[in-house]
Amino acid sequence: DLVDNVCIEIVNGRHPVVEDSLEKEGINFTPNDCFMHSKNSTWVMTGPNMAGKSTFLRQTAIIVLLNQIGCFVPSDSAKLSIFDKIFTRIGASDNLSQGMSTFMTEMVETSRIINEATSSSLVILDELGRGTSTEDGLAIARAVLEFIVQEIRCITLFATHYKELCILSEKFNVIKPKTLQIKKWNEEIIFLYKVIE
């Protein structure tokens, strides 16, 4: 369903490409819910590599896009507002032929997001600030996150290894820290691919 108020309400959302790939190997895809609105507009998602953060971010963007063009939505149900744009900053790449390192590419893309996003946009940021030192990367990630929350005020999924950013939920009540569930069995870590508080 399309709704007027800014929100994402997805029940058992799935990534159609990853799900298809897993089914070919006889593995079930783990679906996830996503409930975001103006008072719960920013999720800061942490968790280990390969736990499913990037898949969750991408599947949310795919579901929003498919919904807006009138296609089947891979979920049990969905209520979504109309988004004017979907902005993503995902993956590490460079453009060395034009003198752009991985870090510079990341900064140019991030600059475009914070200059063009509106309160009706969906912003997906995955591992912002990786291409520089830890301290500088954390400072950049925090500054961008705070700017989005205070100035743009749009629905944002922000995946990061900077767990220090979760403390911002004490300063901004729209930020909700999330992680991906894991369990230990013997000496192994098992990824459960479930988004949890």
Side-chain angles (χ1 to χ4, degrees):
D1 292 344
L2 291 173
V3 294
D4 291 332
N5 54 316
V6 175
C7 79
I8 292 178
E9 294 183 11
I10 299 169
V11 177
N12 287 328
R14 302 179 313 278
H15 189 302
V17 177
V18 175
E19 181 179 38
D20 184 62
S21 177
L22 289 174
E23 279 181 359
K24 289 175 182 168
E25 298 176 31
I27 302 169
N28 290 329
F29 183 88
T30 303
N32 274 293
D33 298 341
C34 184
F35 291 92
M36 303 178 78
H37 48 77
S38 59
K39 291 187 169 98
N40 168 27
S41 62
T42 305
W43 286 10
V44 174
M45 303 186 70
T46 61
N49 284 331
M50 301 304 293
K53 295 186 303 295
S54 296
T55 299
F56 178 78
L57 268 58
R58 287 175 168 95
Q59 85 185 30
T60 303
I62 289 169
I63 289 170
V64 166
L65 181 62
L66 289 173
N67 182 67
Q68 283 193 207
I69 63 172
C71 285
F72 165 78
V73 174
S75 67
D76 288 356
S77 67
K79 281 185 186 177
L80 302 159
S81 54
I82 296 289
F83 291 90
D84 59 3
K85 296 175 185 169
I86 300 172
F87 291 95
T88 62
R89 161 88 278 279
I90 295 173
S93 62
D94 58 42
N95 193 346
L96 295 177
S97 65
Q98 293 186 1
M100 303 241 313
S101 66
T102 301
F103 177 69
M104 184 57 74
T105 302
E106 182 179 290
M107 292 300 95
V108 168
E109 290 176 1
T110 302
S111 173
R112 184 178 54 83
I113 291 169
I114 63 174
N115 282 304
E116 295 180 21
T118 72
S119 60
S120 298
S121 299
L122 171 62
V123 171
I124 308 280
L125 290 165
D126 195 359
E127 302 299 349
L128 186 63
R130 279 192 305 187
T132 187
S133 71
T134 301
E135 294 81 8
D136 290 347
L138 175 57
I140 290 166
R142 180 174 180 150
V144 169
L145 181 57
E146 288 191 16
F147 184 83
I148 289 171
V149 167
Q150 292 179 288
E151 301 297 326
I152 302 172
R153 297 186 177 119
C154 62
I155 290 189
T156 303
L157 291 167
F158 195 104
T160 184
H161 279 107
Y162 298 126
K163 292 179 183 160
E164 299 88 342
L165 294 177
C166 291
I167 201 162
L168 289 177
S169 64
E170 296 173 10
K171 183 176 179 183
F172 303 105
N173 61 2
V174 296
I175 294 179
K176 305 300 177 205
K178 303 285 182 175
T179 191
L180 276 292
Q181 192 173 16
I182 60 170
K183 73 176 182 179
K184 277 182 137 181
W185 188 70
N186 294 331
E187 292 300 311
E188 262 186 80
I189 292 177
I190 299 169
F191 297 127
L192 301 177
Y193 307 110
K194 205 71 181 164
V195 176
I196 59 171
E197 299 290 327

